[in-house]
Amino acid sequence: MTDLPHHSSIAAPVSGEQLAVAITTTTVPAFVTGPWETGMPVIWVNDAFERLVGVGVDGLRMLGPHPLLALVEDDPNRAAAQADLAAGRSMRRIVSARKRDGGVSWLQVDVTPMAHAEGEEVRWVGITTDVSEYVDQQAAQLASLEVERRQRADLDLIAQTTELLGDLEYPYALRDIADLLRSIVPWSSFYLNDDGLQHAEGVDVASPPSGRGRRHTRYVPETWHTDDLNGDVPPQEPAGGTDGSARTPETSPSVDHVQELLDGVVDGPVRLDLSGSYGPHSASGWLRRDLVHRVVEESGVVPRSVVVHAVAGRRRVLGLLVTWHGDAARGPGSADVGGWSEPGPEHIFTVVEVVARRAGTAIDNARLYAREHRLAEALQRAMLPEQADVSGLDVWTYYAPNAEHAQVGGDWYDVLQITDGTVGLVIGDVVGHDVEAAAAMGQLRSVVRAYAYELTTPGTVLDRVDQLVAGMRVPRPASMVYATLRHVADDDSWSVEYTRAGHLPPLLLRDGDVRQLSGAGGSLVGFGNTTRTTGREVLHRGDILLFYTDGLIERRDRSLKVGLDTLVEMSARITARDAAGVGEELLSRLADSPEDDVAIVVVRVPDPVQDAQVTALSPRSRRWLLPSEPASIGRARHAVLRTCQAWGLSESAAAELVVSELVANGVLHGWGNIALRLFDTGDGLRIEVEDANPAPPVATDGHPNRVGGFGMQIVERLADWGWRPAGSGKLVWAKLRPQPTEPESSAPLPG
């Protein structure tokens, strides 16, 4: 080897022999090869290199051309490195090589062409550095970053799930959560356990199983491992029998693991083998039939098994969360591809289990809220009956509880047909917005009703109510107004007698003038120390009486007197010609954001002359709340006829028929009270009927075994109609089509 040039800063030159000894004895593996064109034969290696690879120069020569390539594992940068060597450029790359003990080490290889004279062949000097520790640290760091990324993605998915579950009234939350889960598993779906499993989208399926059992805490779920799920290990069994003894897992198809999950016998999750055989009426068999169809339809592959998680509430299993993790049979004759879609599925398991638990808690909370809401509303409506139809008067009532409180309170009203030509009106307010206030209201309502049918003069009725309430010790103070209206046949007017117990005065609206009936006042119910007085008025055609509670006008930012003055001012501007229109105008102007319960009773004496005149200034919307009873059908017909007359609409006959059919369907098939709304859209009357039954309306067409539904066929002939979920039930709407005008009949030909 020739002497190498030395750096000018070295005090004494180093001979080539000394440099060769230094390179030979150094601990850094080094080698010298021939040119690339001849296969880079190894010419020289030092002792460190020989110790590293376990062979010397002679052994390397026996490996043929490019012997160094045989010592390292293949890597994606090999082609680029070989291109550098072929072009005579220096090369650096990190490669893996097998150690003498069979292990793998990572080496950084630097190969540089040596200086050579003109015409001499190019030789290469290489130095290797063991960077295994650095590579391992980098790999661990990357693995840690990947774990962190995966955990962040999992937490983000759970956060999105929590956000979706936060809206208890959003009907498609479970469907959207199932779509989110499909970012970590190929397929997932929820099933709800409402007297039989249903898809989260609300589609009924044939012969669904049900699980009515309570959750049991004495069973401890087994720990799941990936190997157990990939293999043919049977699904989870309870850890012990009912006597506490160990229980051997069964592989018999008669064991219905899904039903055990629904009944709360096991906490799950369980694996459902979709290639197994199950009883025709078993929950596992039903779920298998439905899943095979749905997974194949949505993913295009045949599933082998799925994992079933319980969606558990506080006391019972509310449904199932089914996930398929990617095992599939690719078709006849192909190899069965088992296992998970990606390695390390433990985090997927954890995420799905957390989602199932949170969904169960949210569903349980939503159902608990809905039950409490329905209970409170049923209690309120039971104590707050709709008025009976009274002859000779146009009556409209409205009640809405304050949304900030429970759906129950102390406001109430009554419209009583005492005798022919005599009507009793009462409106009252018990302090409070809780069940105790509602109970006190129910007692007062019953007492007032009893005396109203027995006595005639309002002051006398209230005196008797005071005496009984004092003895009953009703726990809450209350205010009320009681009035009786008697028809005067001679001039077609109505006489009014009224008395007030600490309540706001009724309003009398007459030809744009508003007067407060502030006479006959007194203390709250049960606190009367003197005889109650009775005020008297006379109502003529077109006159309107307005009874209300303080929730209509009371606000935190103004006094009650200012609110009453505002009500008087707004009432003077009313342009409606029917009781429902008067009420709608007041609600639109005053009850946009009430801070208390609101109850309103509007009574109008019909005026045939005024009613024949059309006005377009009043709100073109009406609403009524009807009890679920056959009498509501007739009341709805009368309401729509009065509204069409007030709005000057010609399609009253079609509207009456459509409203009759929709309300009849609500009475026959709906739940709870029925809300009727009318809207004049300008190009047709829109009718909405809402009830608490979420099942959609159907016609008999296409359903040969279905009884009923003919009313909807009538609706289809007269209107465009549809339905949508609303609250805990449904809303059916219909928009009347323009009716063709009848052609004039031609005169008969003379015979």
Side-chain angles (χ1 to χ4, degrees):
M1 183 178 292
T2 60
D3 292 343
L4 297 178
H6 61 272
H7 199 274
S8 60
S9 62
I10 300 177
V14 179
S15 65
E17 183 179 353
Q18 291 174 328
L19 186 57
V21 172
I23 296 176
T24 302
T25 58
T26 184
T27 59
V28 177
F31 59 88
V32 177
T33 71
W36 170 262
E37 293 78 7
T38 59
M40 293 189 74
V42 178
I43 301 173
W44 171 86
V45 298
N46 65 356
D47 296 339
F49 186 90
E50 188 172 349
R51 289 193 300 269
L52 175 66
V53 301
V55 293
V57 174
D58 296 337
L60 290 171
R61 289 173 180 169
M62 298 177 61
L63 297 179
H66 297 288
L68 294 178
L69 296 180
L71 299 178
V72 299
E73 304 288 339
D74 197 6
D75 69 279
N77 296 323
R78 171 170 289 189
Q82 291 177 355
D84 289 337
L85 294 175
R89 296 188 296 266
S90 299
M91 179 274 298
R92 169 182 289 182
R93 66 187 179 115
I94 297 178
V95 299
S96 61
R98 289 288 177 182
K99 295 181 180 180
R100 299 178 61 182
D101 57 3
V104 177
S105 62
W106 289 91
L107 305 175
Q108 177 179 298
V109 181
D110 292 271
V111 182
T112 306
M114 299 174 60
H116 61 283
E118 183 83 25
E120 292 183 356
E121 63 179 12
V122 179
R123 294 186 178 183
W124 301 81
V125 58
I127 297 176
T128 62
T129 306
D130 192 344
V131 293
S132 299
E133 184 177 355
Y134 165 77
V135 171
D136 292 342
Q137 290 177 353
Q138 186 182 39
Q141 203 171 30
L142 292 175
S144 177
L145 291 175
E146 175 61 21
V147 170
E148 183 179 357
R149 183 203 62 80
R150 190 178 63 195
Q151 290 176 345
R152 287 181 180 272
D154 293 345
L155 290 175
D156 181 62
L157 189 150
I158 294 173
Q160 294 182 61
T161 298
T162 303
E163 183 177 356
L164 286 171
L165 294 172
D167 186 359
L168 300 181
E169 297 182 356
Y170 180 54
Y172 304 112
L174 296 183
R175 182 197 63 185
D176 293 349
I177 292 172
D179 292 340
L180 285 176
L181 286 176
R182 295 186 186 187
S183 64
I184 60 174
V185 294
W187 189 89
S188 65
S189 182
F190 280 92
Y191 289 83
L192 297 185
N193 185 17
D194 290 319
D195 297 323
L197 294 184
Q198 298 178 349
H199 300 315
E201 293 85 350
V203 180
D204 293 331
V205 287
S207 303
S210 63
R212 315 303 295 176
R214 299 171 65 88
R215 297 179 62 199
H216 299 288
T217 58
R218 64 177 180 271
Y219 296 114
V220 179
E222 296 176 357
T223 302
W224 280 61
H225 300 285
T226 306
D227 295 338
D228 297 335
L229 291 170
N230 290 338
D232 293 328
V233 179
Q236 175 193 341
E237 291 288 328
T242 56
D243 57 355
S245 59
R247 181 173 174 181
T248 303
E250 300 176 5
T251 59
S252 171
S254 62
V255 179
D256 194 347
H257 301 291
V258 174
Q259 189 65 57
E260 288 185 342
L261 200 64
L262 289 171
D263 291 338
V265 177
V266 296
D267 290 335
V270 299
R271 184 181 66 84
L272 179 64
D273 186 359
L274 300 183
S275 62
S277 60
Y278 305 96
H281 303 293
S282 65
S284 296
W286 174 88
L287 188 59
R288 172 190 174 277
R289 291 191 299 272
D290 188 68
L291 283 173
V292 169
H293 170 74
R294 295 183 67 203
V295 177
V296 170
E297 185 178 72
E298 297 181 28
S299 65
V301 295
V302 181
R304 191 183 72 178
S305 66
V306 294
V307 181
V308 186
H309 296 256
V311 179
R314 293 174 179 82
R315 293 181 176 87
R316 57 182 292 265
V317 176
L318 304 176
L320 303 174
L321 172 54
V322 182
T323 55
W324 172 55
H325 294 260
D327 52 335
R330 299 184 181 273
S334 63
D336 183 45
V337 181
W340 301 87
S341 58
E342 61 179 16
E346 290 82 1
H347 78 100
I348 298 179
F349 237 17
T350 302
V351 171
V352 175
E353 184 67 19
V354 170
V355 169
R357 290 179 181 178
R358 295 198 176 190
T361 302
I363 295 171
D364 208 9
N365 289 340
R367 293 182 177 179
L368 179 61
Y369 170 80
R371 284 195 300 269
E372 291 179 349
H373 178 85
R374 289 193 297 267
L375 176 62
E377 189 176 44
L379 175 62
Q380 181 70 57
R381 297 304 177 190
M383 294 183 175
L384 192 70
E386 289 296 317
Q387 82 273 7
D389 288 327
V390 293
S391 57
L393 294 174
D394 181 11
V395 181
W396 180 83
T397 59
Y398 175 80
Y399 172 79
N402 181 13
E404 295 181 1
H405 301 96
Q407 298 293 311
V408 65
D411 290 15
W412 91 95
Y413 60 80
D414 250 335
V415 181
L416 311 172
Q417 184 82 58
I418 298 176
T419 62
D420 289 340
T422 302
V423 177
L425 297 174
V426 59
I427 191 165
D429 184 1
V430 177
V431 175
H433 307 89
D434 51 17
V435 175
E436 185 176 290
M441 177 267 288
Q443 291 176 302
L444 283 175
R445 184 182 68 86
S446 299
V447 170
V448 174
R449 273 196 161 203
Y451 287 129
Y453 281 99
E454 180 184 353
L455 305 173
T456 56
T457 305
T460 306
V461 171
L462 195 51
D463 282 334
R464 299 290 296 272
V465 172
D466 283 335
Q467 296 174 11
L468 190 57
V469 167
M472 293 172 58
R473 296 182 180 179
V474 175
R476 298 292 181 90
S479 65
M480 62 170 283
V481 175
Y482 177 67
T484 57
L485 287 77
R486 292 183 177 85
H487 185 229
V488 181
D490 296 339
D491 57 358
D492 205 19
S493 62
W494 290 75
S495 64
V496 180
E497 294 182 335
Y498 67 93
T499 187
R500 298 187 300 119
H503 201 85
L504 293 168
L507 300 184
L508 173 59
L509 287 63
R510 176 180 294 165
D511 297 330
D513 180 47
V514 180
R515 184 158 53 92
Q516 302 181 32
L517 303 184
S518 55
S523 56
L524 296 173
V525 177
F527 294 90
N529 297 322
T530 59
T531 302
R532 301 282 185 174
T533 59
T534 301
R536 292 173 176 83
E537 290 288 340
V538 176
L539 299 181
H540 303 288
R541 291 180 178 180
D543 287 353
I544 299 170
L545 273 181
L546 173 62
F547 299 82
Y548 56 94
T549 58
D550 57 3
L552 180 64
I553 61 175
E554 188 175 23
R555 300 293 183 271
R556 295 186 182 95
D557 58 350
R558 71 186 183 196
S559 65
L560 195 61
K561 182 181 182 303
V562 173
L564 182 57
D565 293 340
T566 303
L567 174 61
V568 172
E569 180 184 354
M570 292 295 108
S571 300
R573 302 178 184 176
I574 289 177
T575 60
R577 298 294 179 86
D578 61 324
V582 173
E584 291 291 343
E585 284 199 43
L586 290 175
L587 291 176
S588 64
R589 297 177 181 180
L590 296 174
D592 52 346
S593 56
E595 298 172 0
D596 198 356
D597 303 340
V598 177
I600 303 176
V601 178
V602 181
V603 181
R604 182 177 180 272
V605 180
D607 185 347
V609 178
Q610 281 190 350
D611 294 346
Q613 301 176 4
V614 178
T615 177
L617 299 178
S618 62
R620 311 295 278 187
S621 63
R622 299 290 187 269
R623 77 190 85 176
W624 295 266
L625 187 67
L626 308 171
S628 184
E629 58 186 29
S632 296
I633 303 173
R635 186 179 169 210
R637 289 201 301 265
H638 296 158
V640 72
L641 283 176
R642 288 195 299 267
T643 302
C644 289
Q645 183 183 19
W647 289 345
L649 301 180
S650 60
E651 58 264 29
S652 59
E656 181 184 9
L657 190 56
V658 171
V659 166
S660 179
E661 294 298 339
L662 294 183
V663 173
N665 273 344
V667 171
L668 293 175
H669 308 293
W671 304 339
N673 293 282
I674 299 170
L676 169 64
R677 302 182 187 91
L678 303 179
F679 302 92
D680 182 11
T681 63
D683 60 348
L685 184 66
R686 180 182 173 91
I687 302 164
E688 293 182 354
V689 176
E690 182 178 349
D691 65 79
N693 184 0
V698 293
T700 56
D701 293 344
H703 302 272
N705 297 324
R706 188 182 298 277
V707 178
F710 296 102
M712 299 310 299
Q713 296 184 22
I714 298 175
V715 174
E716 286 179 346
R717 292 180 179 272
L718 299 175
D720 299 319
W721 73 279
W723 76 281
R724 61 178 173 82
S728 59
K730 68 175 180 299
L731 184 148
V732 183
W733 61 268
K735 184 178 178 182
L736 294 181
R737 302 190 191 98
Q739 299 298 312
T741 58
E742 293 290 337
E744 296 183 1
S745 58
S746 59
L749 296 175

